[in-house]
Amino acid sequence: MNSPGMERAVGLFVIGGLLCLGYFAFQLGSSEIRPSETYTIEARFNSVAGLNPGAQIQIAGVPVGSVGKLSLGKDFSALVELRIRKDLQLSADTMASIRSHGLLGDQYVSLTPGGDDRLLAPGERITDTESSVDILQLLGRFAFGSVNSDKKTSSPTPEKTPPAEEIPLKP
Amino acid sequence: MLQNLKPSGFAPIVALVCGSSISLAASATNQSSNAKAVLEHGVRDAISILEKEKSGTASSVLSKKVRPIAEKIFNFESITRKALGQSWKDLSPEQQKQAVALFSEILIRKYVSHFVTDNKPQLTFLSPQDLGNGRLEISSTTLSGGNSYSVIYRLETSSTGWRVYDVNIEGVSLVSNYRSQFDSVRQRSPGNSEALLQAMKDSLQP
């Protein structure tokens, strides 16, 4: 039936496979920023819909940390723990925005450092934030319209107040 | 010394501490209510001025009329500093003053022209939320031309009282929006602080 040589070969193959699996798992883990190499700050958002713990934190598209736990503030705002690389010093007027990779891609936190001389200390809170934009809500508003109590008085002229993102620096 | 005090001896201290805490809390509430009142009146006054104007009036003319009110509500120096971000440090004190003057003009002109409509926008202001570190957030809804917009004003205390340092319209921050644009200008012309001022001047050209 099965020779001892064959059993040994299968055993070695399984052990080899497990070693490879362990090696790749270690490599994958080490590519992320370890908790010991980070410090934590907090950001307050009005909404973090779609953002998950572990999501990337980026500056200019470069990963610099990851999102920790999400919690609810006293005023029902969303508090997000941001784990930032220790070697990175952020100015006190740094802004945090929730962005997504593509239209329906994963959400991440984008940081935009400012010009303040004071630096954010561990545990400090960023309140200058931009919350996630709810695509479905926007689509719903587009499809069904928005609540309009002055419909009777409104004229059919197009809306003249664009959101800030549509206002370019250079016309 | 505290051990020598009898239980009844603590009463005045407790009353003093409680009284101070209550008066501090009341003062904070009054301050935030005052911030809301200043903001609300300012925005309504500005809209009242613009209501009298015809659509098509030059934005520079509208800006002159609205600027005195805008300066009571907005901290343009803070807005410019935050919007310029890292570029702010590249400017000399004289250039910084020039940047504040130019950027405040850009903001006023961009926004006033959108409020010259036949329909008076309906504004609803909610209670202020304390952000800590002398900052407040006041959410509002603007109903205009058949659409409703969420507008969040962020205010900070200054020597002249509460002033707006950022406006968030439908989740998009004014400061963040302009900071990314100024960062692009800075990256295109590194070390050339005049390029930033020139970009602002170009933006004001009709």
Side-chain angles (χ1 to χ4, degrees):
Chain A
M1 299 288 278
N2 291 342
S3 67
M6 177 69 86
E7 283 176 359
R8 253 185 236 118
V10 171
L12 285 171
F13 183 77
V14 170
I15 290 167
L18 287 172
L19 284 173
C20 284
L21 199 69
Y23 174 76
F24 283 121
F26 179 76
Q27 286 297 313
L28 207 66
S30 63
S31 68
E32 287 180 5
I33 301 163
R34 293 172 189 165
S36 60
E37 296 168 349
T38 62
Y39 67 97
T40 304
I41 53 174
E42 198 175 52
R44 176 195 177 276
F45 294 90
N46 289 320
S47 167
V48 289
L51 186 75
N52 293 313
Q56 270 193 354
I57 300 170
Q58 299 183 356
I59 295 180
V62 179
V64 295
S66 62
V67 169
K69 68 175 180 184
L70 311 176
S71 56
L72 199 61
K74 283 178 187 171
D75 56 352
F76 300 111
S77 58
L79 301 176
V80 179
E81 193 181 79
L82 305 178
R83 295 173 185 154
I84 312 286
R85 256 173 34 196
K86 262 183 185 169
D87 60 328
L88 208 67
Q89 300 292 311
L90 296 171
S91 59
D93 60 346
T94 297
M95 294 194 75
S97 312
I98 297 177
R99 302 269 186 255
S100 66
H101 296 286
L103 196 62
L104 298 171
D106 288 342
Q107 293 204 311
Y108 63 95
V109 176
S110 172
L111 298 179
T112 318
D116 204 323
D117 289 329
R118 196 176 72 77
L119 299 173
L120 277 175
E124 266 198 89
R125 183 181 290 181
I126 297 177
T127 52
D128 295 339
T129 57
E130 288 180 299
S131 299
S132 51
V133 176
D134 194 331
I135 300 291
L136 290 176
Q137 200 176 45
L138 285 179
L139 285 173
R141 205 181 286 186
F142 177 74
F144 304 113
S146 59
V147 178
N148 179 11
S149 65
D150 66 347
K151 212 168 191 171
K152 286 173 189 171
T153 58
S154 68
S155 71
T157 51
E159 174 51 38
K160 290 183 176 179
T161 308
E165 64 186 337
E166 288 175 13
I167 300 169
L169 180 63
K170 208 167 179 177
Chain B
M1 186 175 171
L2 282 171
Q3 289 167 344
N4 298 333
L5 277 172
K6 291 175 184 173
S8 60
F10 281 111
I13 298 170
V14 171
L16 190 69
V17 169
C18 289
S20 305
S21 306
I22 291 165
S23 66
L24 275 173
S27 164
T29 311
N30 284 342
Q31 279 187 349
S32 59
S33 301
N34 183 41
K36 186 189 168 194
V38 168
L39 176 68
E40 197 168 346
H41 287 141
V43 173
R44 289 189 196 283
D45 286 350
I47 289 172
S48 299
I49 289 174
L50 294 170
E51 261 185 328
K52 294 166 193 163
E53 300 296 329
K54 292 174 186 173
S55 57
T57 309
S59 55
S60 56
V61 175
L62 297 173
S63 169
K64 273 184 189 166
K65 293 187 175 179
V66 172
R67 181 174 275 277
I69 295 171
E71 284 178 344
K72 281 182 192 168
I73 313 170
F74 294 93
N75 185 346
F76 285 118
E77 196 265 341
S78 181
I79 294 174
T80 310
R81 196 178 64 244
K82 289 182 202 306
L84 283 173
Q86 292 173 315
S87 307
W88 179 257
K89 288 183 195 169
D90 299 341
L91 303 178
S92 67
E94 195 53 43
Q95 285 176 318
Q96 287 176 349
K97 278 183 191 170
Q98 205 181 342
V100 173
L102 286 168
F103 192 55
S104 61
E105 189 62 20
I106 289 172
L107 292 182
I108 296 173
R109 284 195 196 181
K110 293 282 184 202
Y111 284 91
V112 291
S113 56
H114 298 300
F115 279 105
V116 183
T117 61
D118 296 333
N119 303 311
K120 186 180 180 179
Q122 290 182 18
L123 307 170
T124 311
F125 289 86
L126 303 180
S127 298
Q129 297 283 343
D130 187 10
L131 299 178
N133 295 326
R135 290 180 173 190
L136 285 178
E137 189 176 88
I138 299 177
S139 299
S140 73
T141 309
T142 303
L143 205 61
S144 172
N147 289 305
S148 170
Y149 296 100
S150 155
V151 182
I152 299 171
Y153 296 90
R154 292 193 175 129
L155 298 91
E156 62 189 358
T157 47
S158 66
S159 55
T160 49
W162 290 99
R163 294 285 181 275
V164 174
Y165 70 91
D166 193 11
V167 182
N168 197 303
I169 304 173
E170 288 292 320
V172 180
S173 151
L174 180 153
V175 167
S176 173
N177 174 56
Y178 279 104
R179 188 181 284 183
S180 59
Q181 293 187 55
F182 285 128
D183 280 349
S184 301
V185 175
R186 187 176 186 249
Q187 281 163 13
R188 278 202 303 272
S189 315
N192 183 6
S193 51
E194 275 301 323
L196 275 170
L197 298 174
Q198 192 55 49
M200 288 193 233
K201 285 174 190 167
D202 290 347
S203 168
L204 287 170
Q205 294 302 315

